[in-house]
Amino acid sequence: MPHWYLDPKGPTLNHQRQQEEKIKTCAGITEWYNRGVDSSKTATRYRKGACENCGAVTHKKKDCLERPRKVGAKYTGANFAPDEHLQPKLGHDFEGKRDRWNGYNPEEYRGVVEEHKKLEEARRETKKLMAADKAVPDEDDGESSSEEEDE
């Protein structure tokens, strides 16, 4: 090893190494955007600066996605829409932006599976009832039919 590497008293090459303060931190795999609206905080009266159409504070009238009302929530004082979630700023890396399963919540899909199970069970029950109705034969009194007598 050359002697000038042992004890550097002058300038070094640290400026060519990655600096701690410049390292970018990316969002974790569990972080994702909030879904839906926060219906627990629905307004009861019009708030200054809110949307004149629906009454939500998170947007203005020109940005409102609700159908334009004949008389807006500002003037009626009723039927206020809940405020939308303020979405976090997520800094995903190259793969995180393109990950199609990012933000997937299996708990939400469990409700869909339960709904399908209920529908399948109801379908089976109706099928059993239909089969039971068809299985009951017409009552036969043992006499010949009236059609033979007509001939």
Side-chain angles (χ1 to χ4, degrees):
M1 184 180 245
H3 63 85
W4 56 83
Y5 279 134
L6 294 178
D7 191 21
K9 294 196 179 9
T12 62
L13 296 177
N14 282 340
H15 63 282
Q16 293 186 356
R17 292 191 175 88
Q18 193 172 26
Q19 305 298 314
E20 290 292 327
E21 61 271 2
K22 292 187 179 180
I23 297 175
K24 291 183 181 178
T25 57
C26 298
I29 196 166
T30 58
E31 297 177 43
W32 196 244
Y33 301 104
N34 298 323
R35 294 183 177 174
V37 293
D38 191 8
S39 58
S40 65
K41 299 179 183 175
T42 304
T44 56
R45 62 185 191 88
Y46 182 76
R47 296 168 286 180
K48 187 176 179 182
C51 175
E52 295 178 12
N53 187 42
C54 68
V57 176
T58 50
H59 61 269
K60 298 289 183 191
K61 183 178 179 181
K62 67 177 185 175
D63 302 322
C64 190
L65 296 176
E66 209 175 278
R67 180 181 61 83
R69 299 180 185 183
K70 192 172 187 179
V71 180
K74 178 179 181 180
Y75 303 108
T76 60
N79 297 332
F80 290 104
D83 297 338
E84 293 92 9
H85 289 293
L86 294 176
Q87 299 296 346
K89 301 280 187 212
L90 298 178
H92 288 292
D93 58 350
F94 182 84
E95 288 181 353
K97 287 187 233 178
R98 291 155 180 83
D99 186 9
R100 64 178 57 183
W101 289 97
N102 199 351
Y104 172 72
N105 188 0
E107 295 299 320
E108 291 178 8
Y109 184 67
R110 186 167 294 160
V112 174
V113 171
E114 294 297 323
E115 181 79 21
H116 281 284
K117 283 182 182 177
K118 288 178 186 175
L119 288 173
E120 189 63 33
E121 189 63 35
R123 199 173 292 127
R124 282 191 199 123
E125 291 296 322
T126 55
K127 212 172 199 181
K128 283 181 186 177
L129 290 174
M130 295 292 280
D133 288 346
K134 287 184 178 180
V136 175
D138 293 336
E139 293 182 14
D140 189 16
D141 55 359
E143 296 180 11
S144 62
S145 69
S146 62
E147 290 177 6
E148 294 174 1
E149 295 172 4
D150 291 341
E151 291 178 4

